[in-house]
Amino acid sequence: MSPSVETTPPPSDRVRLRRKPGRGHHDRATIDAILDAAPLCHVGVVVDGQPYVTPTFHWREGDHLYIHGASKNRTLSVADGTEVCVTVSILDGLVLARSAMHHSANFRSVMILGRAHRIEDPDTKRARLKGFIESLYPGRWDALRPMTDTELKATAVLSLALDEASAKVRDGGPMDDEADLSWPVWSGVIPLRTALGAAVADAHTPAGTPPPALGMAVAPIPGSD
């Protein structure tokens, strides 16, 4: 997923990239791939004139992004029916140049703008929460103790259409000035990635029970094996 000249027009002027537009992507394939590779997002809302940004898990189903939390969560309560900004980012590497000015980072990111809506129908909410669990651990929902009506009521799920979204991607080495290329210091890329550790069962898991299958667990670096 290398930076390239934008070929898909932005869906609105609000999500048009002003700086480094060549790193921008507005095609859904790129946007969906980034959203599906990283489970953590940040939700920005304004409460009484004060901006707040809250980290939470997200998942995508088709043309909508979903977030969840406690029904009394302030961020989710304020976000319902209002304009929000949701961002997702993956850090792929540290880029070290021959000058401080040209140090950078390789990354993939998505910004989504729009009006969030709380899902009120219990059956729809339950289906979306199943989609959340299944996106992380395929096949696990049906093995779990069923969610109670009380638990469902205590959980809020918000939906955000992917109508206004943009991705920004940087990939590659340092972009030194020609005059600096002979400067005697190490330059290049230090890759970063999320790695899975060995699963650790708790004391109540029956012996021999296999760990769950994992879905959205690692965000591989573009171009890596």
Side-chain angles (χ1 to χ4, degrees):
M1 191 185 298
S2 300
S4 60
V5 176
E6 176 65 44
T7 57
T8 302
S12 75
D13 195 57
R14 296 200 302 173
V15 293
R16 183 189 303 275
L17 272 75
R18 268 70 175 181
R19 191 173 187 280
K20 303 285 187 180
R23 296 178 182 172
H25 302 262
H26 294 96
D27 62 287
R28 281 294 305 279
T30 300
I31 291 169
D32 290 354
I34 295 172
L35 294 177
D36 294 347
L40 185 67
C41 71
H42 288 78
V43 183
V45 298
V46 177
V47 182
D48 297 328
Q50 170 64 53
Y52 291 90
V53 177
T54 302
T56 187
F57 269 27
H58 72 269
W59 67 103
R60 182 187 66 85
E61 294 186 43
D63 295 331
H64 287 78
L65 191 79
Y66 297 93
I67 57 177
H68 85 298
S71 291
K72 296 182 179 180
N73 179 283
R74 178 175 62 176
T75 297
L76 298 189
S77 296
V78 171
D80 180 26
T82 64
E83 290 287 329
V84 301
C85 177
V86 177
T87 60
V88 173
S89 59
I90 304 169
L91 182 60
D92 290 321
L94 303 176
V95 181
L96 285 69
R98 292 169 174 81
S99 67
M101 177 67 179
H102 291 307
H103 277 59
S104 187
N106 286 336
F107 64 90
R108 289 165 283 164
S109 65
V110 170
M111 183 178 71
I112 308 163
L113 300 178
R115 192 174 295 273
H117 297 282
R118 189 162 177 159
I119 296 175
E120 301 292 353
D121 178 70
D123 292 336
T124 303
K125 188 197 296 189
R126 195 183 299 271
R128 296 290 79 78
L129 290 171
K130 177 179 180 179
F132 171 47
I133 295 296
E134 290 294 303
S135 71
L136 290 168
Y137 319 106
R140 186 168 177 81
W141 179 267
D142 290 337
L144 299 175
R145 188 263 294 158
M147 175 176 278
T148 66
D149 292 341
T150 300
E151 290 172 334
L152 191 65
K153 185 176 181 180
T155 305
V157 177
L158 267 66
S159 170
L160 178 63
L162 296 173
D163 295 334
E164 285 187 270
S166 64
K168 191 172 185 179
V169 178
R170 189 200 190 278
D171 188 18
M175 302 178 67
D176 281 305
D177 295 333
E178 186 73 22
D180 293 337
L181 294 179
S182 61
W183 193 267
V185 68
W186 190 94
S187 297
V189 178
I190 300 175
L192 297 174
R193 66 173 298 170
T194 300
L196 292 174
V200 180
D202 74 359
H204 303 286
T205 299
T209 302
L214 297 176
M216 183 172 39
V218 176
I221 299 173
S224 65
D225 294 333

